[in-house]
Amino acid sequence: MTTAWSRVRTSGPLAPYAQPFARWLLAKGYTELSVTEQLRLMAHLSRWMDGHGLVDAVVLDDPQIQQYCDARRARGYTARLTPGGLRPIQDFLTEEGLPTPPVVEAPAGPGTELLGRYESHLAGERGLVAPVVQRWVAVAAMVIAEHPGLGGGDGTVGAPEVIAFCARELPRRGHSAANDFASALRSFLRFLHVNGLVAGPLAQAVPPVANRRGVTLPRGLAPGTVERLVASCDRRRGRGRRDRAILLLLTRLGLRAGEVARLGLEDIDWRVGEIVIHGKGRRDDRLPLPRDVGEAVVDYLRRGRPKTTRRTVFLRAIAPVGPLSPARVTGIVHDACGRAGLPKVGAHRLRHALATQMLASGASLPEIGQVLRHARIATTSIYAKVDVARLADLVVPWPGRRS
């Protein structure tokens, strides 16, 4: 049967890749209409490449993509005018192993060389993981940008400069980010001192970040809120079945957004009614699967989940089909709040709601900690502050009060 996308004609360097690209899109869950639009975009891009002397198929670099988008806009097109619109084509060509245009690197200056040495120090000698190395090198780059002489051995940076830098940068960040920023700065200053690039141990000039852990109360939800969130999902649609199953996992088991996103088909033991949770710190926990939660997951798997070989339980509802990110799980909670006419809350707030509900029902703190899978009882102890009825028993009468 002839389809609309099969009638799209492509000339130029990308012509041999048109039909494989269509099959690639279909395998990722794109509709035939979307495949047709993407093939038309590839045909237009191929003609543009041919007109600009790119006679061989390549993965375009960022300046070339922007140049094409500008040319497309100038021709009067109103769709696919940003680099993001070309992402499926770029991803496909990359998977095909096509080369990228050679990148002309600027000559490395003293600051670049110093950053390279520091990065090697963090990864090699300190053994830090790549995301931490990336964040800490970014902090070092900020310091070098303010004091370019560091790369050339000019060690005129002193404690006043460090304190001024901290006074400006730390208040711009939340507690966790500020604490990480201060640790990164101390690390770089120690590196500079050990390598003789500054005169003194300036790491001591970085002030500690105030620890406000435990000063706030965990916030639950008003009675009936959870039921309204779950009821807002349209069970006639695949996306509604998915969202309902996710909301029940969050509200009945207290899962984190990342734990829902990582859940795999092999993590559910249907025979014994248990589910394996891959939590923080590479910790795996086995929890009982409540009947209503299991039925919601089955409803999604049978009548809502896209057909794919992926083993992740919850997938995107629109192409390209793939696993949800933790941010998207939180977005599902936000969407449910909007449908239910409730103030927006995040996925972690549902975890707090479960804990406060268990506490109100008479559960002990150790029991709550087992359900939430806390590694330390001190983490669970924050919920003791919201149990006003039990705390009232500990109140000492005011001196001089008449009984």
Side-chain angles (χ1 to χ4, degrees), residues 122 330 371 391:
L122 293 177
T330 298
V371 173
L391 289 176

Side-chain angles (χ1 to χ4, degrees), residues 65-66 69-70 72-74 76-86:
I65 293 176
Q66 189 59 56
C69 291
D70 294 341
R72 185 175 173 85
R73 184 179 292 104
Y77 287 89
T78 59
R80 307 288 191 266
L81 302 178
T82 62
L86 273 72

Side-chain angles (χ1 to χ4, degrees), residues 27 111 192 199 228 239 241 285 349 359 383:
L192 294 176
R228 291 174 62 182
R239 178 181 295 185
R241 297 186 185 100
D285 294 285
R349 184 80 168 271
L359 191 65
Y383 295 104

Side-chain angles (χ1 to χ4, degrees), residues 13-238:
L14 299 181
Y17 298 93
Q19 296 303 309
F21 179 50
R23 292 190 291 270
W24 183 82
L25 291 171
L26 290 171
K28 289 188 172 296
Y30 284 81
T31 64
E32 292 201 359
L33 178 60
S34 296
V35 173
T36 302
E37 293 176 352
Q38 288 291 332
L39 280 182
R40 287 172 179 166
L41 180 63
M42 173 180 270
H44 187 263
L45 175 63
S46 186
R47 291 194 300 271
W48 180 86
M49 293 172 62
D50 192 30
H52 284 72
L54 298 173
V55 295
D56 296 322
V58 294
V59 181
L60 299 181
D61 57 23
D62 292 342
Q64 289 173 325
I65 293 176
Q66 189 59 56
Q67 184 182 358
Y68 166 74
C69 291
D70 294 341
R72 185 175 173 85
R73 184 179 292 104
R75 291 287 299 274
Y77 287 89
T78 59
R80 307 288 191 266
L81 302 178
T82 62
L86 273 72
R87 178 54 53 197
I89 297 177
Q90 292 285 89
D91 290 345
F92 167 74
L93 296 178
T94 300
E95 288 188 15
E96 289 292 304
L98 268 64
T100 56
V103 179
V104 179
E105 297 184 357
T112 304
E113 190 272 339
L114 177 59
L115 281 178
R117 288 167 51 198
Y118 179 56
E119 182 176 3
S120 300
H121 163 74
L122 293 177
E125 299 181 29
R126 296 286 305 277
L128 301 182
V129 296
V132 176
V133 172
Q134 184 178 7
R135 292 199 307 269
W136 287 22
V137 169
V139 175
M142 293 176 61
V143 177
I144 294 176
E146 289 199 9
H147 306 281
L150 285 172
D154 181 8
T156 57
V157 178
E161 288 79 13
V162 173
I163 294 174
F165 182 75
C166 292
R168 185 186 74 237
E169 295 296 334
L170 292 180
R172 296 177 177 177
R173 295 162 171 81
H175 173 265
S176 179
N179 200 35
D180 186 71
F181 189 94
S183 298
L185 183 57
R186 293 190 193 98
S187 171
F188 184 54
L189 293 175
R190 284 192 290 266
F191 175 80
L192 294 176
H193 184 220
V194 169
N195 286 271
L197 299 178
V198 293
L202 297 180
Q204 301 174 10
V206 180
V209 177
N211 184 4
R212 297 183 177 88
R213 181 180 179 88
V215 300
T216 59
L217 292 175
R219 296 180 295 171
L221 295 174
T225 299
V226 170
E227 290 75 11
R228 291 174 62 182
L229 290 176
V230 175
S232 71
C233 301
D234 186 358
R235 299 177 65 179
R236 297 169 299 179
R237 303 176 57 196

